[in-house]
Amino acid sequence: MHITAEDLIAVLRAEGLRITEPRQRVCTVIAERHAQHLTASAIHDAVLEADGGDLDVATVYRTLEVLEAAGAIVHGHIGHGPTVYHLADDADHQHLVCSLCGATTAIAADDIAVLFEGITSQTGFIPDIEHFALSGLCANCAGQTR
């Protein structure tokens, strides 16, 4: 299921926010780029690039905060960069980040569930896979370092 800009706008409306043109544009960028992990800055830049309108970056952050609190989007941390956001319907994956080249690969959470189950069974600790990335070497860089 793909969440549309209208779906996100409905979430904002349900949360009691006034639906302004800037908020609509933020929702449009998030929905149109549903397969990407977007920073607040990238969303801000995309809105400005799309229509050259005026948009305060604080509006982007407030909109993201409300959408996340309502469960429409989630945030995560990929490597050492800024927080990224993506639609909640695309949240069931983990990120593998190369420590050398910075390449990021998404992997289905089910594919690494055994790893996390092992951590929990050995320690009682329950990892939160939505908010962090695993770092290491991508196949290309691993081949270069051998």
Side-chain angles (χ1 to χ4, degrees):
M1 179 183 116
H2 173 67
I3 296 175
T4 66
E6 291 77 24
D7 295 330
L8 296 173
I9 291 166
V11 169
L12 295 177
R13 189 173 282 120
E15 293 297 314
L17 279 146
R18 203 167 47 91
I19 306 306
T20 63
E21 183 65 29
R23 287 187 180 130
Q24 290 176 347
R25 295 188 326 230
V26 168
C27 290
T28 298
V29 167
I30 294 169
E32 287 176 350
R33 299 180 183 204
H34 63 91
Q36 298 176 22
H37 297 87
L38 301 168
T39 64
S41 178
I43 294 168
H44 181 259
D45 292 349
V47 168
L48 295 181
E49 184 178 300
D51 61 21
D54 190 30
L55 176 64
D56 184 0
V57 73
T59 298
V60 175
Y61 280 105
R62 281 192 299 268
T63 303
L64 291 170
E65 184 178 286
V66 172
L67 289 172
E68 184 172 23
I73 64 172
V74 295
H75 81 273
H77 304 279
I78 299 177
H80 298 290
T83 300
V84 295
Y85 298 86
H86 54 90
L87 294 172
D89 71 343
D90 186 36
D92 202 18
H93 65 275
Q94 178 61 309
H95 303 100
L96 309 175
V97 180
C98 182
S99 301
L100 289 180
C101 72
T104 301
T105 303
I107 184 171
D110 289 344
D111 291 344
I112 57 172
V114 172
L115 170 67
F116 293 117
E117 289 167 5
I119 290 170
T120 301
S121 69
Q122 289 181 21
T123 66
F125 183 83
I126 301 172
D128 180 1
I129 65 169
E130 291 182 8
H131 292 97
F132 74 95
L134 296 172
S135 60
L137 298 178
C138 68
N140 188 43
C141 290
Q144 292 178 4
T145 58
R146 288 185 184 164

